[in-house]
Amino acid sequence: ATGGADGKRKPKPAKPVVKWAVKGLDDDEGEPPAGAIFDHVTMNLPASAIEFLDVFKGAFDREVWGSRRLPTIHCYTFKRATETYEDVVRRGEGYLGAKITDPYVHEVRDVAPNKIMLCLTFTLTPDVAFWEGECAATNKRARTSE
């Protein structure tokens, strides 16, 4: 947090702030305009981004999206030298909670011995985007002793 006009630290927001941008608008703060849609989502935190794929399951409103093309997800992640691209897709499917249709995986760079950065790219499918069951994100709980 940075200092305010009075020199005191500003408190951190309780929830993460989602920023949006629309071509031609300089202000990206606040709520997106009603009906705003987007084409791509880039998840660029390779150490953990793949673990957040479950946020897309059931996150879209069919009335807002209608027959529009659902967004393409670009999820950066790491793979060990012993893993295959198919292993990375399976890991993504595990976190998404659904099959990934027509995935494209490409190598971004070799980070260290036995550690390669990849980008897993796929387009959300309607069954994932408009899913109406219980979301995996709401079903996550801290493990407790039994």
Side-chain angles (χ1 to χ4, degrees):
T2 58
D6 60 1
K8 294 181 181 177
R9 290 182 71 97
K10 292 180 185 176
K12 290 184 180 179
K15 294 192 294 185
V17 176
V18 177
K19 293 194 172 200
W20 57 277
V22 179
K23 286 184 181 176
L25 295 178
D26 293 329
D27 180 21
D28 67 350
E29 296 293 333
E31 296 293 320
I37 60 165
F38 48 92
D39 298 315
H40 295 267
V41 174
T42 300
M43 302 173 73
N44 194 18
L45 189 58
S48 62
I50 200 166
E51 297 173 19
F52 294 95
L53 287 175
D54 62 329
V55 301
F56 296 111
K57 195 167 185 179
F60 291 78
D61 184 337
R62 195 178 294 273
E63 289 182 31
V64 172
W65 284 84
S67 62
R68 294 179 179 105
R69 180 177 164 88
L70 288 164
T72 299
I73 309 302
H74 307 278
C75 181
Y76 289 84
T77 189
F78 292 122
K79 87 169 190 73
R80 293 180 295 277
T82 58
E83 289 182 299
T84 65
Y85 286 2
E86 291 78 19
D87 293 332
V88 172
V89 172
R90 276 194 295 275
R91 191 162 23 110
E93 290 173 337
Y95 285 111
L96 181 63
K99 177 124 178 81
I100 293 176
T101 305
D102 299 325
Y104 173 70
V105 180
H106 73 274
E107 188 172 321
V108 176
R109 65 187 172 105
D110 194 346
V111 177
N114 299 317
K115 191 173 188 181
I116 300 165
M117 185 189 299
L118 303 175
C119 182
L120 168 61
T121 299
F122 62 96
T123 300
L124 283 178
T125 58
D127 61 314
V128 171
F130 306 126
W131 192 66
E132 294 181 8
E134 185 178 343
C135 290
T138 61
N139 199 25
K140 289 183 180 178
R141 296 183 194 170
R143 184 174 221 154
T144 58
S145 59
E146 299 176 340

